[in-house]
Amino acid sequence: MRANGSIIRQQREARQLTYEDLTFICSSEDLMLLEQKNEGILEIILDLCQRLDIPYHKVFPKTTLASEVFMLQLIRCLHLRQEFSAILFLLDTFGKRINYESGRIIGHLFYFRAYATLFYRQDTQKAVYYFQRAATFLSEEKRYELLVLKGLATCYQANQEKQRARIFFERAEQVEEKMINSEKLGTSYCQAARFFAEKGQHQQVNDLCDEGIQTLLEINITEGLEELFFEKAIVQSEDTHQIELLKQANYYANINQNHVLEQQITDQLLRV
């Protein structure tokens, strides 16, 4: 991930912090790579911005912020952190400057905007509009049907429209009954990815891991992210891509206290 490492270095030095002072966020080697080579993983960059009081948009190049793929990745991570103010600022300021080509990405961003509008601005009317707009772009993605239904139901409940809220909650329950329990989502995706990995079908592994990662991030679940990033990493042919994914896997393994996988990641990094 490209970032303006000089800004991080300037802010770190202004606060008289050493590399060792920030090892609770990342290793000294990773911080040095970010500051000197402008490369790092997104989650760590966001953690450093938070610790050093750097606005998120200041640390990424304008060309990066102009990418629809990156914007979705960034907004997903902020959604997981429930940083709704930052989500709305980025979408209002930079999201409108992007030349979108993917209707799917537009739909996802409408969903995140709706969620942030509901829970941060508490504007239920606009939230309903954004949820409905998300639904029009995501009609082929069934897992979003549940998320949008729950969002609309919450909006109507907040407006004291009890009958309408009940209708949408009931529809959401019907959809939920057909879906895998959210606590088992990560495991389900990992098992499927390993099945294809054993057959050497690496593209299917990539696709499943991407879908699983997106789903867990969007419903604010971190459990299982470390496994998905790890499974995706080990089928990569390029060392640099594999290393970045392994570091993301390690980031979530640390959050989820998955010490067994942390050791596997360390061993894999030594082999790359």
Side-chain angles (χ1 to χ4, degrees):
M1 177 66 62
R2 298 294 296 174
N4 295 320
S6 60
I7 293 177
I8 290 174
R9 178 181 56 78
Q10 290 167 10
Q11 290 294 95
R12 176 181 62 79
E13 291 177 349
R15 285 164 174 71
Q16 298 183 336
L17 296 172
T18 65
Y19 290 141
E20 288 71 26
D21 291 329
L22 296 170
T23 51
F24 68 97
I25 293 177
C26 63
S27 67
S28 298
E29 292 77 11
D30 284 343
L31 182 52
M32 190 177 299
L33 178 66
L34 178 57
E35 290 187 353
Q36 297 181 2
K37 303 293 185 180
N38 300 316
E39 290 286 346
I41 72 168
L42 178 57
E43 292 85 351
I44 287 177
I45 294 169
L46 296 180
D47 284 344
L48 288 168
C49 286
Q50 195 170 58
R51 173 64 181 84
L52 300 172
D53 295 322
I54 303 171
Y56 295 132
H57 67 282
K58 295 286 188 182
V59 81
F60 298 109
K62 291 181 179 179
T63 52
T64 301
L65 290 170
S67 163
E68 60 179 343
V69 173
F70 172 75
M71 182 59 71
L72 178 58
Q73 186 179 1
L74 174 59
I75 296 299
R76 277 200 186 109
C77 283
L78 295 176
H79 177 77
L80 180 63
R81 296 162 178 255
Q82 299 189 1
E83 295 190 45
F84 302 131
S85 176
I87 287 172
L88 293 172
F89 172 79
L90 287 166
L91 289 176
D92 288 340
T93 307
F94 299 96
K96 296 177 180 178
R97 304 176 186 176
I98 296 172
N99 292 319
Y100 293 98
E101 297 181 2
S102 169
R104 175 177 170 272
I105 289 178
I106 294 172
H108 286 203
L109 293 177
F110 266 127
Y111 169 75
F112 291 125
R113 180 186 283 279
Y115 201 95
T117 299
L118 174 60
F119 289 98
Y120 178 70
R121 290 184 177 159
Q122 299 181 0
D123 187 335
T124 54
Q125 290 187 336
K126 284 189 176 180
V128 166
Y129 169 76
Y130 293 135
F131 277 127
Q132 291 173 336
R133 292 287 286 151
T136 63
F137 283 98
L138 300 170
S139 58
E140 300 301 318
E141 296 194 35
K142 293 302 180 183
R143 71 180 185 272
Y144 270 94
E145 183 180 358
L146 174 62
L147 297 174
V148 170
L149 286 171
K150 284 188 172 182
L152 289 168
T154 303
C155 289
Y156 292 130
Q157 187 177 54
N159 283 344
Q160 299 300 313
E161 298 180 62
K162 295 180 180 179
Q163 184 175 356
R164 185 174 287 184
R166 183 165 58 253
I167 291 171
F168 278 93
F169 275 127
E170 288 174 357
R171 286 174 60 186
E173 287 177 5
Q174 292 170 3
V175 173
E176 195 163 27
E177 286 175 1
K178 299 176 183 179
M179 293 180 66
I180 302 171
N181 187 307
S182 62
E183 294 179 357
K184 299 178 182 178
L185 276 175
T187 300
S188 176
Y189 278 113
C190 279
Q191 289 174 344
R194 288 170 189 150
F195 172 80
F196 285 111
E198 290 173 0
K199 293 179 174 294
Q201 298 177 358
H202 293 173
Q203 186 57 52
Q204 287 87 338
V205 175
N206 271 314
D207 292 344
L208 277 166
C209 288
D210 284 342
E211 183 178 342
I213 289 165
Q214 291 167 11
T215 300
L216 293 180
L217 286 173
E218 286 155 11
I219 59 177
N220 289 336
I221 291 177
T222 61
E223 288 79 9
L225 283 172
E226 70 276 30
E227 298 279 0
L228 288 166
F229 276 116
F230 182 75
E231 291 300 323
K232 183 174 181 179
I234 59 179
V235 299
Q236 301 306 308
S237 57
E238 294 184 12
D239 289 349
T240 54
H241 197 193
Q242 184 175 147
I243 290 170
E244 181 174 344
L245 288 167
L246 286 169
K247 288 180 178 180
Q248 286 180 293
N250 193 62
Y251 177 87
Y252 286 108
N254 181 262
I255 288 177
N256 297 327
Q257 298 184 347
N258 189 340
H259 303 306
V260 173
L261 187 62
E262 282 184 307
Q263 185 58 54
Q264 287 182 260
I265 293 167
T266 299
D267 295 341
Q268 186 68 26
L269 282 169
L270 291 173
R271 289 196 289 269
V272 177

